[in-house]
Amino acid sequence: MSSVDFDLAICGAGPAGCALALLMAQVAPQPERIALIGNTPLAIDTQLPPHDPRALALNYGSAALLEQLRAWPQAQAALMDTVHVSQQGRLGRTLIQANELDVPYLGGVIRYDRLLKGLHEAVAQSGVQFLMDEVDYEHAATEGARIRTRQHGGLQAKLKVISDGHRPQAVQRSYNQAGIITILRASHPKPGWAFERFTTTGPFALLPHPDENDLYALVWCMSPSAAAQLAAAPEAEFTAAAQTTFGARMGQLRVAGERHVFPLNLYAGPSLVNPYTVAIGNAAQTLHPVAGQGLNLGLRDAAQLSHALRSWIAHPHTDPAPLLSRYAQQRRLDRWRTIGVTDFLPRFFATPYSIPQHLGGLGLLTMDVFAPARRPLITQLLQGVRR
């Protein structure tokens, strides 16, 4: 091998890493000089398990980006045109609708495995080298653009991107919450509708599931002990608790998938790890799942980084450090505004005190009757800050 194995090495083959690889391959004179390092790619003939509860909500901007990459399986997505936001036990609710933003739909819900499979298939056609390996992240911040891997040993790149496998440490918060994910079936589904319901224990979100019209992906946040107990409860008990929390908006609910529990924490760090290493996606920020912002923010990281590096990838003998520094500065507003919103909402609405609860209900009512009041929040959640 040469002293420099690759121009660009992307550590992590999840959605953000794949999106960046595909964007860079579109403008790279030698896409084979781009390495994507991660687990075994999903083959075209991979059989996906039925009713996988992991479903991702992608906003319209993310869907448009994936469509540009020929990796948006719209036919396999459940499109959303209305989001219903409410607070349990309080007056006030608001509707977010696609026509407010002049877009054909707000976003779509796609199974994680289907999304990743489409991205891996696109990478296989792009010329990018997919290295099936595991990265040692212990020294990622101190070794410039050098990558330590289990099978390939030490690799050297001119520029390194960490998109997975590395948890940022600069800002940390434990929400003392865990999320239950599963699938519910509704007797009276509302096509195109998603629901975000705030409770004193945490958000309760129902997203239309792409497998069947009456299925909904559930993300239900509560204390870790309550989540463990409820996840292990008999089906009738779990269904009754979900019905009480959500109400009868879609008739009777019943469980249609396995229940899984995961802890909820905030981790965030700088985009620029060192002058030749940048972090995007979950390696830059891991968010509370409220409003489904994590992957959308990670895809915006990838899109803006690819734009910043367009001139460099065409002439990789030049120094990319100034471009990375400028990228980190440009991403700061969108990243920290989104982190702030997703950090504030679940903590504010989960308060046990009546005054903040009433203020939350009043805020939802105000946003419902006065469109300019909800426009900034809607724009941030559905589009972010784009430059």
Side-chain angles (χ1 to χ4, degrees):
M1 287 188 177
S2 63
S3 59
V4 177
D5 301 300
F6 299 100
D7 294 330
L8 171 64
I10 303 168
C11 304
C18 288
L20 177 62
L22 291 169
L23 287 165
M24 296 304 294
Q26 289 179 344
V27 295
Q30 295 179 286
E32 67 274 12
R33 298 284 300 165
I34 300 172
L36 180 66
I37 307 170
N39 295 326
T40 304
L42 295 175
I44 294 175
D45 59 352
T46 299
Q47 295 298 312
L48 302 177
H51 302 321
D52 187 327
R54 295 176 298 168
L56 302 173
L58 297 174
N59 62 31
Y60 180 76
S62 294
L65 172 64
L66 294 173
E67 187 172 15
Q68 173 192 339
L69 300 175
R70 298 182 180 180
W72 173 236
Q74 182 168 321
Q76 297 177 327
L79 300 185
M80 299 177 291
D81 53 41
T82 303
V83 177
H84 180 286
V85 185
S86 63
Q87 183 181 15
Q88 186 182 27
R90 301 293 176 187
L91 294 175
R93 67 99 174 97
T94 191
L95 295 180
I96 302 171
Q97 297 179 306
N99 56 18
E100 292 186 72
L101 293 175
D102 298 321
V103 293
Y105 55 90
L106 294 175
V109 181
I110 185 73
R111 280 172 49 174
Y112 176 82
D113 44 13
R114 283 180 178 153
L115 174 63
L116 196 60
K117 180 179 177 182
L119 285 164
H120 283 181
E121 291 172 357
V123 168
Q125 302 297 319
S126 69
V128 169
Q129 290 199 47
F130 196 124
L131 302 183
M132 292 173 281
D133 210 338
E134 294 184 27
V135 175
D136 175 10
Y137 292 100
E138 183 178 356
H139 306 285
T142 59
E143 292 194 327
R146 185 171 176 80
I147 306 104
R148 298 190 189 188
T149 67
R150 175 170 294 184
Q151 296 183 30
H152 292 81
L155 300 173
Q156 184 67 35
K158 296 177 182 177
L159 188 157
K160 177 173 62 181
V161 176
I162 305 174
S163 65
D164 201 1
H166 174 77
R167 179 168 286 171
Q169 301 294 328
V171 177
Q172 302 180 47
R173 185 195 298 281
S174 172
Y175 293 105
N176 193 31
Q177 288 185 346
I180 300 176
I181 60 172
T182 189
I183 298 174
L184 299 182
R185 191 180 298 276
S187 64
H188 293 81
K190 295 179 71 70
W193 282 57
F195 297 86
E196 185 85 58
R197 186 157 173 78
F198 292 102
T199 79
T200 56
T201 65
F204 178 105
L206 280 178
L207 306 173
H209 198 281
D211 279 0
E212 297 178 41
N213 291 335
D214 60 348
L215 293 181
Y216 286 81
L218 169 67
V219 182
W220 191 359
C221 305
M222 62 190 70
S223 72
S225 59
Q229 182 177 357
L230 193 56
E235 184 175 306
E237 181 180 337
F238 184 90
T239 298
Q243 191 80 64
T244 299
T245 301
F246 182 70
R249 293 174 182 81
M250 294 193 293
Q252 296 298 310
L253 304 176
R254 60 185 178 90
V255 179
E258 296 182 0
R259 287 166 263 174
H260 303 270
V261 178
F262 60 97
L264 302 181
N265 300 289
L266 166 65
Y267 296 96
S271 295
L272 193 61
V273 178
N274 66 51
Y276 296 96
T277 300
V278 65
I280 66 171
N282 284 339
Q285 62 272 319
T286 303
L287 310 182
H288 191 287
V290 65
Q293 290 302 295
L295 178 55
N296 291 297
L297 183 58
L299 290 174
R300 294 202 297 274
D301 289 343
Q304 191 159 342
L305 181 58
S306 71
H307 181 76
L309 295 176
R310 287 176 67 92
S311 61
W312 171 78
I313 199 66
H315 306 281
H317 59 278
T318 59
D319 185 5
L323 299 177
L324 291 183
S325 179
R326 190 177 308 127
Y327 159 81
Q329 293 176 351
Q330 292 175 338
R331 285 300 297 147
R332 187 172 295 129
L333 177 61
D334 186 26
R335 290 184 64 229
W336 290 104
R337 184 179 288 178
T338 305
I339 290 169
V341 169
T342 57
D343 179 57
F344 171 77
L345 286 176
R347 293 190 296 119
F348 177 80
F349 280 100
T351 178
Y353 303 110
S354 60
I355 292 179
Q357 289 178 6
H358 285 297
L359 289 175
L362 180 62
L364 292 176
L365 180 61
T366 301
M367 287 194 294
D368 193 51
V369 300
F370 187 56
R374 65 177 178 268
R375 183 78 184 209
L377 178 61
I378 294 172
T379 301
Q380 178 62 39
L381 295 180
L382 297 180
Q383 295 180 325
V385 177
R386 298 177 181 270
R387 294 185 179 183

